[in-house]
Each structure stands twice: as structure tokens, then as C-alpha cells.
Amino acid sequence: DQQVKQNSPSLSVQEGRISILNCDYTNSMFDYFLWYKKYPAEGPTFLISISSIKDKNEDGRFTVFLNKSAKHLSLHIVPSQPGDSAVYFCAATSNYQLIWGAGTKLIIKP
Amino acid sequence: DSGVTQTPKHLITATGQRVTLRCSPRSGDLSVYWYQQSLDQGLQFLIQYYNGEERAKGNILERFSAQQFPDLHSELNLSSLELGDSALYFCASSTSGGASGANVLTFGAGSRLTVL
């Protein structure tokens, strides 16, 4: 049972435009949501998180939006840069467990 | 450098063999997590230790075992290796025992295991 789903395996975006990565979840008890970024042959690195009691969190070019009624969150990257090309994982926490999505590969085209 | 050290970086071995992967957590972190990432797959949680005690268990095979030592480093033992065990094994650490929003995991660079 996949509690955290990233339905797009990959996404291609023009440099300078907005990248929107999506994540859906099924467990309404999740209390925090996190995004991690992973380059090939490296471990994931933490990017941004959002509490379930908020609907938006912003950090520089990165903004995460949470829609609890739809059980959906999204990561917006504006403007997209070549260094943003990576795999992005959505993760959620509940009961001391961190549940991961399968990841979305973001490709920034020049 | 994330502060989480994993050794070895690469390991090639044969089916049926046993290997040990080692992880030193970031200074001050008490929790260690092990993850497996097979080719183009997501991260599969294996097991978590907090201050020497097993805290949570994920999809860890019986052929696999782990422990966390008093100095907080951890080892993941993989035995009776099969071709399908070829993967990247990541260790992560965190300050507390729970995966809450404030408890961000810091990952090591991973150990790539190839079973021939």
C-alpha cells in the first residue's frame, strides 16, 4: 500500500521556467511533509518541509503547498536552474515513521 | 560532506557471500537509519536504531541484520547474497529517535553493492 505517491516518474522543464513536482498521500495522520533532492551517486539531501497545519512554506526559490482536503502537496521551483536537475523525493511522517514516495526525476533543459 | 560516513563506497562480491556495510553518523546524532535503493527504484526503509536500540523495522530481509554500537556507529550485515541484493545502501542519521518534521535525516553518500 503506497501511502505516498509521486505519479510522475520524470518531468522536463525549460531553464528559467517554473518546475512543479506533485505528491499525493492517503494517510490523513501524516503530521509533516518533506522534500528531498538527490543527485546520482549521492545521498538525498533535505530541501524543505511543511507542517500539516500549514498550507504553504517558502524558502528562496522553493515553495511547498499543501492541500489537506485533496491530500496533495506540490513543490514549486522558480526559476528553474540547471543545478535543479535531480530526483526529488516527497516524504511524510507519522508515528515516528518516514514514508517515502518513489521520486520524480526533474530535467532542466537549457 | 554531509557528516555521515559510509564505507566501503563500492563492493563487488559473489552470490552466497556475506558483507558488512559500515556507517558513522553525524556528530551528535543518536539515530541511524538504513535504506536500500535498487536500480531506478525509490528508497526502501530497512531499519532504524536509536542510541543502540532498534527503533523501527521496515522491509528488511531475514538474511540482513544490523546493529548500532556504543560509539553510535552502525553496521548492516548482508548474508547469503543474491543477485537481487545489488543496490545502493544508504545510511542516514538524525538527532532524535522520531521522524518528525523537525527531525531531518542527513544521508551518507551510500555504499554500492554489486553481487555477481
Side-chain angles (χ1 to χ4, degrees):
Chain A
D1 174 29
Q2 275 189 293
Q3 297 186 61
V4 177
K5 295 180 187 178
Q6 293 178 257
N7 291 318
S8 299
S10 66
L11 175 68
S12 188
V13 174
Q14 201 80 32
E15 182 180 353
R17 306 292 290 266
I18 183 172
S19 294
I20 300 176
L21 296 115
N22 294 303
C23 180
D24 295 300
Y25 62 96
T26 57
N27 188 344
S28 57
M29 299 303 292
F30 286 139
D31 49 7
Y32 270 91
F33 301 89
L34 303 91
W35 286 94
Y36 282 78
K37 175 179 173 178
K38 184 183 181 302
Y39 291 119
E42 293 184 13
T45 55
F46 171 72
L47 199 53
I48 191 168
S49 67
I50 187 168
S51 163
S52 61
I53 63 172
K54 298 200 171 174
D55 53 23
K56 178 182 173 181
N57 188 25
E58 194 170 351
D59 183 2
R61 297 186 298 115
F62 303 91
T63 303
V64 56
F65 295 92
L66 176 62
N67 182 335
K68 286 192 72 175
S69 60
K71 293 193 176 70
H72 176 84
L73 68 152
S74 59
L75 173 68
H76 292 213
I77 307 173
V78 183
S80 300
Q81 298 175 355
D84 296 330
S85 293
V87 176
Y88 290 79
F89 290 98
C90 167
T93 67
S94 169
N95 233 12
Y96 301 104
Q97 293 291 316
L98 186 61
I99 312 297
W100 294 78
T104 296
K105 184 175 184 177
L106 176 64
I107 301 163
I108 305 301
K109 300 181 295 186
Chain B
D1 183 4
S2 68
V4 178
T5 305
Q6 288 188 247
T7 57
K9 284 194 181 311
H10 302 276
L11 189 55
I12 301 174
T13 189
T15 54
Q17 295 297 305
R18 172 191 166 96
V19 298
T20 297
L21 308 180
R22 194 178 192 279
C23 171
S24 293
R26 201 177 54 156
S27 178
D29 285 356
L30 299 178
S31 269
V32 169
Y33 307 74
W34 285 98
Y35 285 87
Q36 179 192 55
Q37 185 183 28
S38 300
L39 191 63
D40 291 335
Q41 301 282 317
L43 291 163
Q44 295 296 319
F45 169 65
L46 296 178
I47 198 163
Q48 177 202 354
Y49 281 84
Y50 174 72
N51 206 20
E53 300 285 329
E54 183 183 304
R55 174 59 66 96
K57 214 166 186 175
N59 299 322
I60 187 166
L61 299 171
E62 284 192 13
R63 300 183 286 108
F64 296 0
S65 65
Q67 55 183 322
Q68 185 179 30
F69 295 87
D71 67 351
L72 301 177
H73 92 271
S74 177
E75 291 181 358
L76 178 67
N77 300 296
L78 315 174
S79 61
S80 302
L81 284 168
E82 301 175 0
L83 295 177
D85 297 327
S86 295
L88 259 174
Y89 291 85
F90 287 106
C91 169
S93 70
S94 68
T95 51
S96 72
S100 69
N103 185 25
V104 173
L105 270 59
T106 302
F107 283 80
S111 291
R112 180 173 292 282
L113 172 66
T114 302
V115 182
L116 301 175

